């Protein structure tokens, strides 16, 4: 069974930074394209950033230049460095396969507010 455990969320003021982590188990992590998603209150879950097994990264326009996705295949862990956070980044953040399948983890709450 594949499990995702997200951590690192919190409360931060606009312009601040957070680093999210995602520990993945039950799958050959290095062979899968992975992604970070987020879901704001009252909105649908959206793709934020993704990384292929080969390490190619892509970002949604709204976070380009502010967020950095990385992965450590030896640790089966993926990261999302979030800088210059804005109130519109407030959401629950999830990690998952780029092509979603199976259960989702609990997510980690990110709140950006003055």
């Amino acid at each position: 069974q594949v499990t995702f455990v997200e951590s690192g969320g919190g409360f931060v003021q606009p312009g601040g930074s957070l680093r999210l982590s995602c520990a993945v188990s039950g799958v050959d992590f290095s062979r899968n394209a992975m992604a970070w998603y987020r879901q704001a209150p009252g909105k649908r879950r959206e793709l934020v950033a993704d990384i292929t097994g080969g390490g190619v990264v892509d970002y949604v326009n709204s976070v380009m230049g502010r967020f950095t996705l990385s992965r450590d295949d030896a640790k089966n862990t993926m990261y999302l460095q979030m800088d210059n956070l804005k109130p519109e980044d407030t959401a629950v953040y999830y990690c998952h396969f780029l092509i979603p399948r199976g259960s989702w983890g609990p997510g980690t709450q990110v709140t950006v507010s003055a």
Side-chain angles (χ1 to χ4, degrees), residues 12 37 58 76 84 89 93 103:
V12 64
Y37 299 80
D58 196 16
N76 270 25
N84 190 21
D89 296 318
Y93 285 71
S103 300

Side-chain angles (χ1 to χ4, degrees), residues 34-37 47-51 57-60 63 69 80 98:
M34 306 297 297
W36 282 98
Y37 299 80
L47 177 66
V48 175
D50 64 85
I51 184 167
V57 183
D58 196 16
Y59 302 93
V60 66
V63 308
L69 188 158
L80 187 66
L98 177 57

Side-chain angles (χ1 to χ4, degrees), residues 82-98:
M82 306 187 296
D83 299 315
N84 190 21
L85 282 160
K86 303 177 179 181
E88 52 264 41
D89 296 318
T90 294
V92 179
Y93 285 71
Y94 303 86
C95 63
H96 203 73
F97 299 113
L98 177 57

Side-chain angles (χ1 to χ4, degrees), residues 11-78:
F11 183 95
V12 64
Q13 293 185 336
S17 298
L18 287 172
R19 188 190 193 211
L20 306 183
S21 298
C22 170
V24 184
S25 61
V27 67
D28 188 345
F29 181 77
S30 64
R31 293 181 177 270
N32 286 271
M34 306 297 297
W36 282 98
Y37 299 80
R38 67 185 179 188
Q39 187 168 18
K43 295 187 177 181
R44 299 184 68 175
R45 187 175 292 161
E46 66 169 347
L47 177 66
V48 175
D50 64 85
I51 184 167
T52 67
V56 177
V57 183
D58 196 16
Y59 302 93
V60 66
N61 285 342
S62 61
V63 308
M64 188 81 68
R66 301 188 298 120
F67 290 12
T68 304
L69 188 158
S70 61
R71 62 191 292 170
D72 185 336
D73 290 344
K75 296 181 178 180
N76 270 25
T77 301
M78 183 169 65

